[in-house]
PDB file of all heavy atoms in Angstrom:
ATOM      1  N   CYS A   1       6.518  11.891   5.641  1.00  0.00           N
ATOM      2  CA  CYS A   1       6.367  12.193   4.217  1.00  0.00           C
ATOM      3  C   CYS A   1       7.125  11.162   3.378  1.00  0.00           C
ATOM      4  O   CYS A   1       6.582  10.105   3.073  1.00  0.00           O
ATOM      5  CB  CYS A   1       6.877  13.604   3.921  1.00  0.00           C
ATOM      6  SG  CYS A   1       5.852  14.913   4.625  1.00  0.00           S
ATOM      7  N   ALA A   2       8.397  11.443   3.047  1.00  0.00           N
ATOM      8  CA  ALA A   2       9.134  10.539   2.180  1.00  0.00           C
ATOM      9  C   ALA A   2       9.163   9.077   2.684  1.00  0.00           C
ATOM     10  O   ALA A   2       9.010   8.150   1.886  1.00  0.00           O
ATOM     11  CB  ALA A   2      10.568  11.054   1.991  1.00  0.00           C
ATOM     12  N   PRO A   3       9.364   8.843   3.985  1.00  0.00           N
ATOM     13  CA  PRO A   3       9.447   7.443   4.427  1.00  0.00           C
ATOM     14  C   PRO A   3       8.182   6.642   4.198  1.00  0.00           C
ATOM     15  O   PRO A   3       8.223   5.415   4.184  1.00  0.00           O
ATOM     16  CB  PRO A   3       9.748   7.557   5.949  1.00  0.00           C
ATOM     17  CG  PRO A   3      10.367   8.899   6.118  1.00  0.00           C
ATOM     18  CD  PRO A   3       9.663   9.766   5.114  1.00  0.00           C
ATOM     19  N   GLU A   4       7.048   7.320   4.006  1.00  0.00           N
ATOM     20  CA  GLU A   4       5.771   6.600   3.900  1.00  0.00           C
ATOM     21  C   GLU A   4       5.365   6.299   2.455  1.00  0.00           C
ATOM     22  O   GLU A   4       4.408   5.583   2.207  1.00  0.00           O
ATOM     23  CB  GLU A   4       4.662   7.438   4.538  1.00  0.00           C
ATOM     24  CG  GLU A   4       4.996   8.020   5.900  1.00  0.00           C
ATOM     25  CD  GLU A   4       5.187   6.986   6.986  1.00  0.00           C
ATOM     26  OE1 GLU A   4       5.553   5.825   6.673  1.00  0.00           O
ATOM     27  OE2 GLU A   4       4.992   7.321   8.166  1.00  0.00           O
ATOM     28  N   ILE A   5       6.100   6.860   1.472  1.00  0.00           N
ATOM     29  CA  ILE A   5       5.761   6.607   0.075  1.00  0.00           C
ATOM     30  C   ILE A   5       5.996   5.121  -0.226  1.00  0.00           C
ATOM     31  O   ILE A   5       7.022   4.566   0.167  1.00  0.00           O
ATOM     32  CB  ILE A   5       6.588   7.502  -0.858  1.00  0.00           C
ATOM     33  CG1 ILE A   5       6.289   8.970  -0.569  1.00  0.00           C
ATOM     34  CG2 ILE A   5       6.301   7.181  -2.328  1.00  0.00           C
ATOM     35  CD1 ILE A   5       7.151   9.935  -1.362  1.00  0.00           C
ATOM     36  N   PRO A   6       5.056   4.453  -0.898  1.00  0.00           N
ATOM     37  CA  PRO A   6       5.218   3.010  -1.092  1.00  0.00           C
ATOM     38  C   PRO A   6       6.307   2.683  -2.111  1.00  0.00           C
ATOM     39  O   PRO A   6       6.651   3.479  -2.974  1.00  0.00           O
ATOM     40  CB  PRO A   6       3.842   2.574  -1.610  1.00  0.00           C
ATOM     41  CG  PRO A   6       3.309   3.787  -2.314  1.00  0.00           C
ATOM     42  CD  PRO A   6       3.801   4.954  -1.482  1.00  0.00           C
ATOM     43  N   THR A   7       6.837   1.472  -1.967  1.00  0.00           N
ATOM     44  CA  THR A   7       7.712   0.922  -3.027  1.00  0.00           C
ATOM     45  C   THR A   7       6.839   0.315  -4.128  1.00  0.00           C
ATOM     46  O   THR A   7       5.622   0.130  -3.940  1.00  0.00           O
ATOM     47  CB  THR A   7       8.620  -0.140  -2.441  1.00  0.00           C
ATOM     48  OG1 THR A   7       7.794  -1.227  -1.935  1.00  0.00           O
ATOM     49  CG2 THR A   7       9.468   0.397  -1.310  1.00  0.00           C
ATOM     50  N   TRP A   8       7.443   0.027  -5.242  1.00  0.00           N
ATOM     51  CA  TRP A   8       6.674  -0.556  -6.346  1.00  0.00           C
ATOM     52  C   TRP A   8       6.070  -1.908  -5.932  1.00  0.00           C
ATOM     53  O   TRP A   8       4.936  -2.201  -6.259  1.00  0.00           O
ATOM     54  CB  TRP A   8       7.557  -0.727  -7.569  1.00  0.00           C
ATOM     55  CG  TRP A   8       6.823  -1.326  -8.712  1.00  0.00           C
ATOM     56  CD1 TRP A   8       7.033  -2.554  -9.306  1.00  0.00           C
ATOM     57  CD2 TRP A   8       5.731  -0.724  -9.436  1.00  0.00           C
ATOM     58  NE1 TRP A   8       6.140  -2.750 -10.327  1.00  0.00           N
ATOM     59  CE2 TRP A   8       5.332  -1.647 -10.454  1.00  0.00           C
ATOM     60  CE3 TRP A   8       5.063   0.485  -9.350  1.00  0.00           C
ATOM     61  CZ2 TRP A   8       4.281  -1.395 -11.334  1.00  0.00           C
ATOM     62  CZ3 TRP A   8       4.015   0.745 -10.231  1.00  0.00           C
ATOM     63  CH2 TRP A   8       3.646  -0.172 -11.219  1.00  0.00           C
ATOM     64  N   GLN A   9       6.813  -2.710  -5.201  1.00  0.00           N
ATOM     65  CA  GLN A   9       6.274  -3.999  -4.753  1.00  0.00           C
ATOM     66  C   GLN A   9       5.080  -3.803  -3.826  1.00  0.00           C
ATOM     67  O   GLN A   9       4.076  -4.508  -3.922  1.00  0.00           O
ATOM     68  CB  GLN A   9       7.367  -4.786  -4.030  1.00  0.00           C
ATOM     69  CG  GLN A   9       6.949  -6.194  -3.647  1.00  0.00           C
ATOM     70  CD  GLN A   9       8.108  -7.043  -3.125  1.00  0.00           C
ATOM     71  OE1 GLN A   9       9.272  -6.664  -3.270  1.00  0.00           O
ATOM     72  NE2 GLN A   9       7.821  -8.158  -2.528  1.00  0.00           N
ATOM     73  N   GLU A  10       5.167  -2.820  -2.961  1.00  0.00           N
ATOM     74  CA  GLU A  10       4.101  -2.525  -2.031  1.00  0.00           C
ATOM     75  C   GLU A  10       2.866  -2.001  -2.757  1.00  0.00           C
ATOM     76  O   GLU A  10       1.732  -2.411  -2.509  1.00  0.00           O
ATOM     77  CB  GLU A  10       4.609  -1.497  -1.048  1.00  0.00           C
ATOM     78  CG  GLU A  10       3.636  -1.076   0.051  1.00  0.00           C
ATOM     79  CD  GLU A  10       4.251   0.002   0.919  1.00  0.00           C
ATOM     80  OE1 GLU A  10       5.393   0.449   0.634  1.00  0.00           O
ATOM     81  OE2 GLU A  10       3.586   0.429   1.860  1.00  0.00           O
ATOM     82  N   LEU A  11       3.098  -1.072  -3.686  1.00  0.00           N
ATOM     83  CA  LEU A  11       1.982  -0.496  -4.454  1.00  0.00           C
ATOM     84  C   LEU A  11       1.287  -1.589  -5.282  1.00  0.00           C
ATOM     85  O   LEU A  11       0.058  -1.655  -5.346  1.00  0.00           O
ATOM     86  CB  LEU A  11       2.489   0.612  -5.366  1.00  0.00           C
ATOM     87  CG  LEU A  11       1.467   1.254  -6.311  1.00  0.00           C
ATOM     88  CD1 LEU A  11       0.369   1.921  -5.520  1.00  0.00           C
ATOM     89  CD2 LEU A  11       2.148   2.243  -7.261  1.00  0.00           C
ATOM     90  N   SER A  12       2.093  -2.446  -5.911  1.00  0.00           N
ATOM     91  CA  SER A  12       1.526  -3.527  -6.737  1.00  0.00           C
ATOM     92  C   SER A  12       0.663  -4.469  -5.880  1.00  0.00           C
ATOM     93  O   SER A  12      -0.413  -4.904  -6.308  1.00  0.00           O
ATOM     94  CB  SER A  12       2.658  -4.319  -7.400  1.00  0.00           C
ATOM     95  OG  SER A  12       3.411  -3.490  -8.252  1.00  0.00           O
ATOM     96  N   TYR A  13       1.141  -4.760  -4.657  1.00  0.00           N
ATOM     97  CA  TYR A  13       0.364  -5.636  -3.777  1.00  0.00           C
ATOM     98  C   TYR A  13      -0.976  -4.963  -3.464  1.00  0.00           C
ATOM     99  O   TYR A  13      -2.035  -5.635  -3.510  1.00  0.00           O
ATOM    100  CB  TYR A  13       1.123  -5.896  -2.488  1.00  0.00           C
ATOM    101  CG  TYR A  13       0.380  -6.755  -1.507  1.00  0.00           C
ATOM    102  CD1 TYR A  13       0.504  -8.145  -1.490  1.00  0.00           C
ATOM    103  CD2 TYR A  13      -0.480  -6.178  -0.574  1.00  0.00           C
ATOM    104  CE1 TYR A  13      -0.201  -8.914  -0.583  1.00  0.00           C
ATOM    105  CE2 TYR A  13      -1.197  -6.943   0.337  1.00  0.00           C
ATOM    106  CZ  TYR A  13      -1.044  -8.311   0.335  1.00  0.00           C
ATOM    107  OH  TYR A  13      -1.768  -9.078   1.222  1.00  0.00           O
ATOM    108  N   PHE A  14      -0.943  -3.697  -3.149  1.00  0.00           N
ATOM    109  CA  PHE A  14      -2.176  -2.986  -2.812  1.00  0.00           C
ATOM    110  C   PHE A  14      -3.145  -2.941  -3.994  1.00  0.00           C
ATOM    111  O   PHE A  14      -4.352  -3.153  -3.833  1.00  0.00           O
ATOM    112  CB  PHE A  14      -1.826  -1.559  -2.348  1.00  0.00           C
ATOM    113  CG  PHE A  14      -3.024  -0.699  -2.099  1.00  0.00           C
ATOM    114  CD1 PHE A  14      -3.917  -0.977  -1.074  1.00  0.00           C
ATOM    115  CD2 PHE A  14      -3.241   0.454  -2.883  1.00  0.00           C
ATOM    116  CE1 PHE A  14      -5.003  -0.165  -0.837  1.00  0.00           C
ATOM    117  CE2 PHE A  14      -4.342   1.295  -2.632  1.00  0.00           C
ATOM    118  CZ  PHE A  14      -5.222   0.968  -1.603  1.00  0.00           C
ATOM    119  N   LEU A  15      -2.626  -2.667  -5.175  1.00  0.00           N
ATOM    120  CA  LEU A  15      -3.490  -2.620  -6.352  1.00  0.00           C
ATOM    121  C   LEU A  15      -4.107  -3.971  -6.666  1.00  0.00           C
ATOM    122  O   LEU A  15      -5.233  -4.076  -7.149  1.00  0.00           O
ATOM    123  CB  LEU A  15      -2.705  -2.083  -7.552  1.00  0.00           C
ATOM    124  CG  LEU A  15      -2.243  -0.630  -7.452  1.00  0.00           C
ATOM    125  CD1 LEU A  15      -1.320  -0.287  -8.619  1.00  0.00           C
ATOM    126  CD2 LEU A  15      -3.426   0.312  -7.406  1.00  0.00           C
ATOM    127  N   ASP A  16      -3.349  -5.047  -6.396  1.00  0.00           N
ATOM    128  CA  ASP A  16      -3.854  -6.407  -6.695  1.00  0.00           C
ATOM    129  C   ASP A  16      -4.794  -6.922  -5.610  1.00  0.00           C
ATOM    130  O   ASP A  16      -5.767  -7.641  -5.939  1.00  0.00           O
ATOM    131  CB  ASP A  16      -2.673  -7.384  -6.810  1.00  0.00           C
ATOM    132  CG  ASP A  16      -1.849  -7.151  -8.071  1.00  0.00           C
ATOM    133  OD1 ASP A  16      -2.366  -6.484  -8.996  1.00  0.00           O
ATOM    134  OD2 ASP A  16      -0.700  -7.618  -8.134  1.00  0.00           O
ATOM    135  N   HIS A  17      -4.528  -6.583  -4.353  1.00  0.00           N
ATOM    136  CA  HIS A  17      -5.269  -7.184  -3.243  1.00  0.00           C
ATOM    137  C   HIS A  17      -6.152  -6.212  -2.467  1.00  0.00           C
ATOM    138  O   HIS A  17      -7.020  -6.648  -1.703  1.00  0.00           O
ATOM    139  CB  HIS A  17      -4.308  -7.845  -2.261  1.00  0.00           C
ATOM    140  CG  HIS A  17      -3.466  -8.911  -2.853  1.00  0.00           C
ATOM    141  ND1 HIS A  17      -2.221  -8.692  -3.412  1.00  0.00           N
ATOM    142  CD2 HIS A  17      -3.679 -10.251  -3.013  1.00  0.00           C
ATOM    143  CE1 HIS A  17      -1.703  -9.812  -3.862  1.00  0.00           C
ATOM    144  NE2 HIS A  17      -2.561 -10.778  -3.647  1.00  0.00           N
ATOM    145  N   GLY A  18      -5.934  -4.892  -2.649  1.00  0.00           N
ATOM    146  CA  GLY A  18      -6.669  -3.951  -1.814  1.00  0.00           C
ATOM    147  C   GLY A  18      -6.273  -4.095  -0.370  1.00  0.00           C
ATOM    148  O   GLY A  18      -5.221  -4.643  -0.018  1.00  0.00           O
ATOM    149  N   SER A  19      -7.132  -3.598   0.510  1.00  0.00           N
ATOM    150  CA  SER A  19      -6.864  -3.706   1.940  1.00  0.00           C
ATOM    151  C   SER A  19      -8.167  -3.736   2.718  1.00  0.00           C
ATOM    152  O   SER A  19      -9.109  -3.022   2.355  1.00  0.00           O
ATOM    153  CB  SER A  19      -6.019  -2.517   2.425  1.00  0.00           C
ATOM    154  OG  SER A  19      -5.889  -2.525   3.833  1.00  0.00           O
ATOM    155  N   PRO A  20      -8.247  -4.565   3.752  1.00  0.00           N
ATOM    156  CA  PRO A  20      -9.451  -4.560   4.570  1.00  0.00           C
ATOM    157  C   PRO A  20      -9.501  -3.335   5.514  1.00  0.00           C
ATOM    158  O   PRO A  20     -10.514  -3.123   6.176  1.00  0.00           O
ATOM    159  CB  PRO A  20      -9.311  -5.849   5.387  1.00  0.00           C
ATOM    160  CG  PRO A  20      -7.848  -6.091   5.461  1.00  0.00           C
ATOM    161  CD  PRO A  20      -7.281  -5.583   4.173  1.00  0.00           C
ATOM    162  N   GLU A  21      -8.414  -2.566   5.554  1.00  0.00           N
ATOM    163  CA  GLU A  21      -8.331  -1.437   6.474  1.00  0.00           C
ATOM    164  C   GLU A  21      -8.500  -0.109   5.738  1.00  0.00           C
ATOM    165  O   GLU A  21      -7.868   0.124   4.721  1.00  0.00           O
ATOM    166  CB  GLU A  21      -6.964  -1.429   7.193  1.00  0.00           C
ATOM    167  CG  GLU A  21      -6.645  -2.680   7.956  1.00  0.00           C
ATOM    168  CD  GLU A  21      -7.372  -2.745   9.294  1.00  0.00           C
ATOM    169  OE1 GLU A  21      -8.034  -1.724   9.655  1.00  0.00           O
ATOM    170  OE2 GLU A  21      -7.270  -3.773   9.966  1.00  0.00           O
ATOM    171  N   ARG A  22      -9.328   0.784   6.271  1.00  0.00           N
ATOM    172  CA  ARG A  22      -9.381   2.127   5.728  1.00  0.00           C
ATOM    173  C   ARG A  22      -8.148   2.903   6.144  1.00  0.00           C
ATOM    174  O   ARG A  22      -7.727   3.843   5.443  1.00  0.00           O
ATOM    175  CB  ARG A  22     -10.651   2.842   6.230  1.00  0.00           C
ATOM    176  CG  ARG A  22     -11.905   2.441   5.489  1.00  0.00           C
ATOM    177  CD  ARG A  22     -13.123   3.181   6.022  1.00  0.00           C
ATOM    178  NE  ARG A  22     -12.966   4.631   5.955  1.00  0.00           N
ATOM    179  CZ  ARG A  22     -13.234   5.378   4.901  1.00  0.00           C
ATOM    180  NH1 ARG A  22     -13.644   4.794   3.770  1.00  0.00           N
ATOM    181  NH2 ARG A  22     -13.055   6.683   4.928  1.00  0.00           N
ATOM    182  N   ALA A  23      -7.580   2.557   7.286  1.00  0.00           N
ATOM    183  CA  ALA A  23      -6.308   3.156   7.713  1.00  0.00           C
ATOM    184  C   ALA A  23      -5.197   2.204   7.303  1.00  0.00           C
ATOM    185  O   ALA A  23      -4.958   1.179   7.937  1.00  0.00           O
ATOM    186  CB  ALA A  23      -6.300   3.362   9.244  1.00  0.00           C
ATOM    187  N   LEU A  24      -4.542   2.510   6.167  1.00  0.00           N
ATOM    188  CA  LEU A  24      -3.549   1.561   5.608  1.00  0.00           C
ATOM    189  C   LEU A  24      -2.415   1.285   6.582  1.00  0.00           C
ATOM    190  O   LEU A  24      -1.790   0.224   6.489  1.00  0.00           O
ATOM    191  CB  LEU A  24      -3.022   2.107   4.286  1.00  0.00           C
ATOM    192  CG  LEU A  24      -4.042   2.252   3.158  1.00  0.00           C
ATOM    193  CD1 LEU A  24      -3.354   2.741   1.875  1.00  0.00           C
ATOM    194  CD2 LEU A  24      -4.751   0.937   2.892  1.00  0.00           C
ATOM    195  N   ARG A  25      -2.130   2.222   7.484  1.00  0.00           N
ATOM    196  CA  ARG A  25      -1.033   1.988   8.416  1.00  0.00           C
ATOM    197  C   ARG A  25      -1.345   0.849   9.392  1.00  0.00           C
ATOM    198  O   ARG A  25      -0.473   0.370  10.112  1.00  0.00           O
ATOM    199  CB  ARG A  25      -0.755   3.247   9.215  1.00  0.00           C
ATOM    200  CG  ARG A  25      -1.869   3.679  10.147  1.00  0.00           C
ATOM    201  CD  ARG A  25      -1.650   5.039  10.811  1.00  0.00           C
ATOM    202  NE  ARG A  25      -2.771   5.404  11.635  1.00  0.00           N
ATOM    203  CZ  ARG A  25      -3.900   5.914  11.183  1.00  0.00           C
ATOM    204  NH1 ARG A  25      -4.032   6.142   9.884  1.00  0.00           N
ATOM    205  NH2 ARG A  25      -4.890   6.235  12.007  1.00  0.00           N
TER     206      ARG A  25
END
């Protein structure tokens, strides 16, 4: 739960670049 919540830097990267993976992990 808590350990998996993104940081702002991580969230910003995802919003800017997306991900090629449907499973973000």
Side-chain angles (χ1 to χ4, degrees):
C1 291
E4 314 294 25
I5 299 175
T7 62
W8 180 247
Q9 185 171 348
E10 181 184 2
L11 177 63
S12 299
Y13 178 92
F14 175 64
L15 294 172
D16 289 343
H17 300 91
S19 173
E21 302 283 354
R22 282 180 56 86
L24 296 182
R25 67 187 178 280

